[in-house]
Every structure is written in structure tokens, then in C-alpha cells.
């Protein structure tokens, strides 16, 4: 049985360039503006990944305008991690950092171990398939947690 939709969700991963932007975009597509959704990375050292843009476009999710940001960037912009109802870490490093940064605060931290597709596949088609698998894992997790939404 799916959980009630939280008021705010933060998705996080290592660089905010592949998995967490996909999760942010998919969640916004499924549930509209009823939930405040953001994403961040441990570091902000990469731009949004072109394969992520391509496989999300297949679902009607637009990521091309996404700008990567880190936990530090969020804090500088006035977004306090502890203000999110749920933080969903998609990588071990982001889970560990989110746990450290929210220690002592009341927010739910979940870990969804989504495979990192960036080092998989030799050809363009094989890479796209790896990114689709990661995207589909994210879709399955979101639907399992919060239902089918408006999609």
C-alpha cells in the first residue's frame, strides 16, 4: 500500500547529474505541484547528463534546463535539508552525507540503491539501455512508495 504523498521530497546522489535529476523530474511529472520536489548531489561538478535527458524525454519528462547543485549550494540558497519531509538517497555517498547533515532533525531518510548507469555500455544503444534501467528503477520505487499519481 503506497504511503501518503509528503509535502516535500529531496532526491540526492553523487553529482546531481544523472539519478537525482531523473527522480526529481519523474516525481514532478507524476504528482504535479502537490509536493515540493528538489534534487542535489554530494558535489556539483558535472552538468546534467545527456543520456538522462534522452531517457526521461521518452516519458515526457524534460530535464534539459536542470542545473546541478550540491548540498552546500542548497544551503547557500537558503534551502535547509532538515526542512524536507523525506530525503531519498540514491547512492551510498549521498545517504551517508544526508544522514550526517540531518542528524538530530526530524526528517525521514530513505535509501533507494539505484544503479549508476554512467560506466555501463560500450555503444550508444547499450548506454541508453543502462540509463533506461536506472530510470525504470526510479519509476518503480516512486510508484511503490506513493502510488501511480497523475501519470
Amino acid at each position: 500500500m503506497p504511503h501518503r504523498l509528503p509535502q516535500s521530497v529531496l532526491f540526492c546522489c553523487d553529482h546531481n547529474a544523472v539519478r537525482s535529476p531523473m527522480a526529481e523530474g519523474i516525481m514532478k511529472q507524476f504528482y504535479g505541484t502537490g509536493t515540493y520536489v528538489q534534487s542535489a548531489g554530494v558535489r556539483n561538478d558535472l552538468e546534467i547528463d545527456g543520456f538522462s535527458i534522452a531517457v526521461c524525454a521518452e516519458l515526457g519528462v524534460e530535464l534539459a534546463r536542470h542545473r546541478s547543485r550540491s548540498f552546500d549550494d542548497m544551503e547557500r540558497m537558503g534551502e535547509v535539508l532538515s526542512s524536507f519531509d523525506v530525503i531519498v538517497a540514491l547512492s551510498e555517498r549521498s545517504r551517508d552525507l544526508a544522514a550526517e547533515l540531518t542528524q538530530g532533525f526530524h526528517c525521514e531518510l530513505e535509501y533507494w540503491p539505484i544503479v549508476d548507469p554512467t560506466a555501463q555500455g560500450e555503444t550508444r544503444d547499450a548506454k541508453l539501455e543502462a540509463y533506461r534501467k536506472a530510470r525504470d528503477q526510479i519509476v518503480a520505487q516512486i510508484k511503490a512508495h506513493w502510488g501511480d499519481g497523475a501519470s
Side-chain angles (χ1 to χ4, degrees):
M1 178 108 184
H3 299 81
R4 193 169 73 67
L5 212 56
Q7 288 186 350
S8 58
V9 177
L10 174 70
F11 290 100
C12 55
C13 64
D14 294 342
H15 304 278
N16 193 222
V18 178
R19 292 168 286 182
S20 58
M22 285 199 289
E24 176 187 352
I26 290 165
M27 180 107 181
K28 286 177 177 177
Q29 177 85 0
F30 285 179
Y31 306 106
T33 57
T35 296
Y36 180 70
V37 183
Q38 291 295 317
S39 64
V42 173
R43 295 193 315 265
N44 170 16
D45 57 350
L46 299 173
E47 291 300 317
I48 183 73
D49 186 285
F51 288 110
S52 293
I53 292 170
V55 300
C56 281
E58 294 172 353
L59 300 181
V61 176
E62 194 277 321
L63 293 184
R65 292 186 307 228
H66 176 80
R67 296 294 164 253
S68 298
R69 62 188 188 158
S70 67
F71 287 120
D72 289 341
D73 295 335
M74 287 186 67
E75 294 281 342
R76 276 194 294 276
M77 293 186 297
E79 293 242 38
V80 182
L81 291 184
S82 60
S83 69
F84 286 91
D85 295 324
V86 180
I87 298 174
V88 179
L90 305 174
S91 69
E92 288 182 36
R93 287 186 2 211
S94 65
R95 176 200 60 202
D96 295 346
L97 183 57
E100 180 185 317
L101 294 173
T102 60
Q103 194 170 20
F105 292 104
H106 180 73
C107 68
E108 186 179 333
L109 175 60
E110 295 189 23
Y111 175 48
W112 300 352
I114 303 298
V115 68
D116 181 359
T118 58
Q120 298 181 15
E122 296 296 318
T123 66
R124 176 176 170 72
D125 286 343
K127 285 188 176 298
L128 282 168
E129 192 54 39
Y131 278 75
R132 285 184 189 111
K133 283 182 184 172
R135 177 202 65 198
D136 293 348
Q137 283 183 318
I138 292 166
V139 167
Q141 286 281 23
I142 287 173
K143 286 183 175 185
H145 275 71
W146 297 300
D148 285 339
S151 67

